[in-house]
Amino acid sequence: MRQHNLPTMKQLSKTQSILFAIGGMLMVAGAFMGLLRSNLAPFLFIPGVVMFVSMQMLQRYDGQNINIRRLRRFVLLSDVLLLVSALLMYASHGNPFQLDQITYVQYIGNNWVVTLLIAAFLQLYTTFRIGKELEKEE
């Protein structure tokens, strides 16, 4: 019986997995606090996003499966949306960019929620689809 060395997703080390999980928990806590309009929300959400996204970037796929490559691009889009959500959350707490009130409400407001929901949907979709595609490869 011949064993095939099929390319898979690069696995995170134990430390990286812990950072990934902590980042996810900080994001959830920060988002919840953001909905409650807490001033601490960005200070939990932003480090959580940075940890989560950076660890997710380390999970590469070097194979040739076009579906997994496409799904990884969705993950990258989701990561960018998470970073945009973090920026918008920061901007929604106290108008740090000194925008006039109409511009602030129109473009900043609570738009971080919209980008976060789109990112969360993409993360959920790609997690299940990549898992199924990797199972098919084996």
Side-chain angles (χ1 to χ4, degrees):
M1 197 187 288
R2 204 161 95 196
Q3 191 175 31
H4 297 282
N5 289 333
L6 295 173
T8 60
M9 297 292 288
K10 181 180 179 279
Q11 297 299 310
L12 297 175
S13 70
K14 186 174 182 173
T15 304
Q16 292 169 333
S17 295
I18 290 170
L19 287 173
F20 183 74
I22 290 171
M25 288 187 281
L26 286 173
M27 281 192 323
V28 170
F32 180 73
M33 290 179 76
L35 293 174
L36 298 176
R37 305 290 299 157
S38 170
N39 289 332
L40 294 176
F43 301 107
L44 290 176
F45 189 74
I46 293 170
V49 167
V50 170
M51 281 193 283
F52 185 86
V53 167
S54 60
M55 292 303 111
Q56 200 165 46
M57 289 293 128
L58 295 176
Q59 292 179 312
R60 292 185 323 271
Y61 175 73
D62 297 325
Q64 298 301 316
N65 185 327
I66 196 156
N67 289 328
I68 296 176
R69 288 184 172 278
R70 177 183 55 85
L71 290 166
R72 280 295 297 160
R73 284 192 293 272
F74 283 142
V75 169
L76 295 176
L77 173 62
S78 173
D79 289 341
V80 168
L81 288 172
L82 285 172
L83 292 167
V84 168
S85 298
L87 178 66
L88 288 172
M89 179 187 275
Y90 175 73
S92 73
H93 283 77
N95 195 4
F97 302 122
Q98 303 302 316
L99 301 171
D100 66 84
Q101 193 63 31
I102 293 173
T103 304
Y104 175 78
V105 169
Q106 186 176 12
Y107 294 109
I108 305 292
N110 280 329
N111 288 339
W112 66 269
V113 176
V114 175
T115 55
L116 180 61
L117 287 173
I118 294 168
F121 174 77
L122 287 172
Q123 286 285 330
L124 189 62
Y125 173 72
T126 56
T127 297
F128 287 111
R129 289 289 299 135
I130 288 174
K132 293 283 185 190
E133 289 295 325
L134 288 172
E135 283 177 13
K136 277 195 235 179
E137 267 193 0
E138 293 175 2

